[in-house]
Amino acid sequence: MLLSPRYKFLFVHIAKTGGTSVRKALEGMRWRDPWYYPMFLCSRLSHLSGHRIGTKLPRHAKVIAAQELLPKEHFDALFKFAFVRNPWDLQVSSFHHIRRERPHYLGGNETFEDFLRWKLDPERPYQYHVDTSITLQTDYLADLHGRILVDFIGRYETLHADFETACARIGIQPPALPHARQAKDRKQDYRSYFNDATAELVARHFARDIELLGYRFDSD
């Protein structure tokens, strides 16, 4: 999550949706925000205290966390936005990311199919780096009653164009988006990773995202 009091925006960072590129593009604006320095100091104090003073919004916090922590008039005045991604493609991206950077979280599963079945097993113990990517994307965008709280939802599939739209809403010239890391051994077409059974596993788990965000297995 990235908050800018000066530019009055809140970026809700959903894992594996291009958010790291968006954060890097916008983080340079922090140095021009006079609120950044007291926010940084509070963040350090929060870290040293074990986050007991509640001043830091975590990287992948849901928008409802900001709604609860910020004054209502301040929260309501923010331009709140996020990016989402086709759930099937997101799972392929997550598999390659974990295999490349945190292979000990694969649970001993070497293939995408085995990893996906293990990952979506409700009896599996919770693991942050695994479970972040199977939390419903709409959970990041809504309150406890399911009401969408963000003002703009961009898509990973049209990241550059939608980022420019978000910047226009903020009132800034869009900074260049850095290139996200790509797995060198990843096939470009996510559909090739699935069979009918595993595609249905994702369809069931992410049914609400698929319905509300308008994704399909064969989305371009």
Side-chain angles (χ1 to χ4, degrees):
M1 187 171 284
L2 186 64
L3 169 66
S4 174
R6 177 181 179 181
Y7 295 98
K8 292 183 171 58
F9 73 79
L10 178 73
F11 170 57
V12 180
H13 184 176
I14 302 173
K16 309 309 300 175
T17 62
T20 299
S21 294
V22 172
R23 286 180 64 92
K24 287 182 178 178
L26 295 175
E27 276 181 340
M29 298 170 60
R30 286 182 168 182
W31 303 107
R32 304 195 296 272
D33 191 332
W35 285 98
Y36 170 72
Y37 303 98
M39 287 170 63
F40 177 80
L41 178 60
C42 287
S43 173
R44 291 292 88 195
L45 290 172
S46 178
H47 178 73
L48 291 173
S49 68
H51 301 294
R52 288 190 294 271
I53 62 177
T55 61
K56 183 178 176 61
L57 291 168
R59 175 182 291 264
H60 294 303
K62 299 177 175 67
V63 69
I64 193 172
Q67 184 188 43
E68 292 293 323
L69 288 171
L70 297 174
K72 183 179 187 305
E73 61 275 12
H74 182 66
F75 178 81
D76 291 344
L78 294 170
F79 168 63
K80 299 170 282 291
F81 70 104
F83 285 84
V84 297
R85 186 173 187 171
N86 181 299
W88 291 276
D89 186 33
L90 189 151
Q91 293 312 306
V92 174
S93 177
S94 171
F95 169 67
H96 282 284
H97 172 79
I98 292 173
R99 189 169 69 173
R100 179 180 67 246
E101 299 192 9
R102 295 181 174 89
H104 51 290
Y105 286 116
L106 286 173
N109 300 286
E110 294 298 326
T111 68
F112 173 72
E113 178 175 353
D114 289 343
F115 177 65
L116 183 65
R117 291 184 181 278
W118 173 78
K119 186 180 188 182
L120 295 179
D121 181 356
E123 301 300 320
R124 174 183 55 78
Y126 176 85
Q127 295 185 51
Y128 173 80
H129 293 290
V130 174
D131 286 82
T132 301
S133 61
I134 60 172
T135 300
L136 294 182
Q137 296 177 70
T138 46
D139 282 354
Y140 286 91
L141 311 176
D143 64 15
L144 295 178
H145 302 286
R147 293 187 292 256
I148 299 297
L149 298 179
V150 298
D151 304 299
F152 176 71
I153 302 174
R155 293 178 181 267
Y156 175 86
E157 295 79 18
T158 51
L159 180 63
H160 286 80
D162 288 349
F163 178 65
E164 290 183 0
T165 298
C167 289
R169 295 280 297 273
I170 295 169
I172 60 171
Q173 288 295 319
L177 275 173
H179 292 292
R181 291 171 295 177
Q182 295 286 339
K184 294 181 180 179
D185 58 344
R186 178 186 163 160
K187 302 170 188 174
Q188 290 302 308
D189 189 346
Y190 64 87
R191 291 169 292 192
S192 65
Y193 287 81
F194 291 90
N195 54 39
D196 290 345
T198 52
E200 181 58 25
L201 279 177
V202 173
R204 288 200 302 268
H205 184 85
F206 292 97
R208 191 173 71 185
D209 284 356
I210 292 164
E211 178 183 1
L212 294 180
L213 302 176
Y215 279 112
R216 304 185 312 276
F217 179 66
D218 58 353
S219 294
D220 293 331

